[in-house]
Amino acid sequence: MRWVREGLLVPAVAAVLVLLTLWEGKGQPPPGMAVLVGSSLCVAMPLLLRRVLPLTGAVLSAVVGLGGLGFLPAWPGMLVTMGTFCAAVYHRERAPGLVLAVCGCWVLVSAVIAGSPVQAFTVTDLVVMGVAPVATGYALRLHRERADQALRVQRAEADRLVAEADRVLAEDRARLARDVHDSVGHHLTAIRMQATAARRVLDGAPPVADRALGTIAELSSSALEEVREMLSTLRDVPAGVGLGEVEQLAERLSGPDRRITVSWSGAAAPVPPAVDHTAYRVVQEALTNVVRHSTAGRVDVRVRRDQEVLVVTVVDDGAGGAVRPGLEGQGIRGMRERVRSVGGTLVVGPGGAGWSVRAELPTGRVG
């Protein structure tokens, strides 16, 4: 698409030059109309080189412009050449003085070809045609570099804020896990012990009572195991984790009745730390929700690295259902906030045979 735009630039600039020449001649076509059109196309052609060979393109445009001045006195081709020198300084990061010297030589030679006596060639002409394009290109390049630096500072600050928020969240979750373990775990253990002791003491009790006490002991033991499993996922892992730990997370949450697989595809390129961390948190929260709320026996975690986006998908085969707006759980809201903080999008809802969580996180272009 960019080359299409570049290709349209040349005929557009050539058409403007032809129209300006006709306007200068009161609408009367000059005798060398073919020369006018050809010179206009040739002087605009080096614009295609302004990104890859900026100074070479400027010199080629200057040579064509000087040749056109000999045949077309009223031809404004020098305006295009001035633009190419401006682009040369903008795209060429080193030796702007060299571009200025070449541009100055072009201005002097063009004055000689135009027939201007040396004493009539003022400093103003040199400044307007030689110094101004170079200074404009240099100023634009400085503005671009400052804008890029400001963007890098903003991204670094955003990464710092995300890391700080993750640290605070990790501390809160660890404290909550300890409190739940100490309180709920203690009471569930006491209930199981009391029920087991009662069954031993009431040996020979009616079958209904014995069965009730056995059910209490079994349910409390099962609840204790579920609480411990949930707390193991609630406890945050050290800061700086990323997708490299996803397979360990999947192995830790897999079990006899639940199989979690991880697949990778796309470009093997690094991603920004904030995006890597956010992707891990999305997978962690999605798998935690599967463990807590789903009867899924299979969960697929897919990570795909495209040109400018990292796509993370978690799909299970449990019973799916629509999420009503405003009734999302804290986990889903937390995922949305994390994904939004790095400029991504999150889609949660029924997918495949069960439930799907899909996050698209921008990473910047590969390479």
Side-chain angles (χ1 to χ4, degrees):
M1 184 60 68
R2 184 171 67 88
W3 285 107
V4 175
R5 294 195 300 267
E6 295 287 332
L8 294 176
L9 176 64
V10 173
V13 172
V16 171
L17 292 179
V18 172
L19 292 175
L20 288 177
T21 304
L22 294 177
W23 181 74
E24 186 70 19
K26 309 299 182 182
Q28 297 296 326
M33 188 65 181
V35 177
L36 171 62
V37 175
S39 299
S40 299
L41 287 172
C42 291
V43 78
M45 199 77 70
L47 288 172
L48 299 176
L49 302 176
R50 69 185 187 278
R51 299 179 187 274
V52 291
L53 297 172
L55 184 57
T56 301
V59 172
L60 291 175
S61 179
V63 171
V64 176
L66 293 176
L69 287 178
F71 301 98
L72 303 166
W75 181 56
M78 63 179 63
L79 297 178
V80 179
T81 302
M82 293 168 60
T84 58
F85 277 109
C86 178
V89 179
Y90 180 80
H91 293 288
R92 195 175 190 272
E93 298 182 358
R94 294 181 297 177
L98 176 61
V99 181
L100 179 61
V102 175
C103 186
C105 294
W106 165 74
V107 173
L108 294 175
V109 175
S110 63
V112 173
I113 294 178
S116 300
V118 177
Q119 59 271 21
F121 189 76
T122 63
V123 177
T124 303
D125 298 323
L126 181 61
V127 170
V128 172
M129 298 178 58
V131 178
V134 176
T136 301
Y138 188 72
L140 291 175
R141 182 160 65 84
L142 287 180
H143 179 73
R144 180 197 65 190
E145 292 175 350
R146 290 175 180 174
D148 292 342
Q149 183 179 5
L151 181 59
R152 288 193 296 268
V153 171
Q154 291 177 358
R155 288 179 175 175
E157 181 65 15
D159 291 342
R160 187 190 67 80
L161 293 176
V162 170
E164 181 66 18
D166 288 338
R167 185 187 64 80
V168 174
L169 180 61
E171 293 177 355
D172 290 342
R173 296 182 70 169
R175 177 182 55 78
L176 178 60
R178 288 193 302 268
D179 293 344
V180 172
H181 181 271
D182 294 343
S183 178
V184 178
H186 168 75
H187 287 88
L188 287 175
T189 301
I191 292 173
R192 185 186 62 178
M193 292 177 61
Q194 293 295 333
T196 303
R199 291 185 68 189
R200 292 176 180 175
V201 171
L202 299 177
D203 189 17
V208 176
D210 184 72
R211 188 163 51 251
L213 292 173
T215 302
I216 293 174
E218 182 180 352
L219 291 178
S220 60
S221 178
S222 177
L224 181 61
E225 291 299 325
E226 290 183 4
V227 167
R228 287 174 176 172
E229 185 177 3
M230 286 187 292
L231 292 181
S232 67
T233 60
L234 182 62
R235 290 190 181 95
D236 222 338
V237 289
V241 296
L243 290 174
E245 287 77 17
V246 164
E247 293 185 352
Q248 298 177 7
L249 176 65
E251 181 180 358
R252 187 165 62 246
L253 296 180
S254 296
D257 56 346
R258 184 184 305 109
R259 181 172 175 233
I260 301 176
T261 61
V262 181
S263 61
W264 309 81
S265 62
V271 298
V275 173
D276 189 35
H277 188 70
T278 299
Y280 176 85
R281 297 304 185 197
V282 169
V283 175
Q284 183 187 44
E285 189 62 42
L287 293 181
T288 301
N289 288 339
V290 171
V291 172
R292 296 177 59 185
H293 305 298
S294 175
T295 59
R298 177 180 176 85
V299 185
D300 294 326
V301 179
R302 303 166 192 154
V303 182
R304 187 179 79 248
R305 174 74 156 98
D306 291 338
Q307 285 294 321
E308 297 182 353
V309 67
L310 178 70
V311 182
V312 177
T313 308
V314 180
V315 181
D316 63 69
D317 61 356
V323 178
R324 297 175 57 187
L327 296 182
E328 293 183 345
Q330 185 66 29
I332 296 179
R333 288 197 295 270
M335 283 193 290
R336 291 194 187 280
E337 292 174 0
R338 285 183 180 276
V339 171
R340 192 182 301 116
S341 68
V342 295
T345 58
L346 180 74
V347 178
V348 180
W355 194 259
S356 172
V357 175
R358 176 184 172 89
E360 295 187 5
L361 310 173
T363 60
R365 193 165 188 83
V366 176

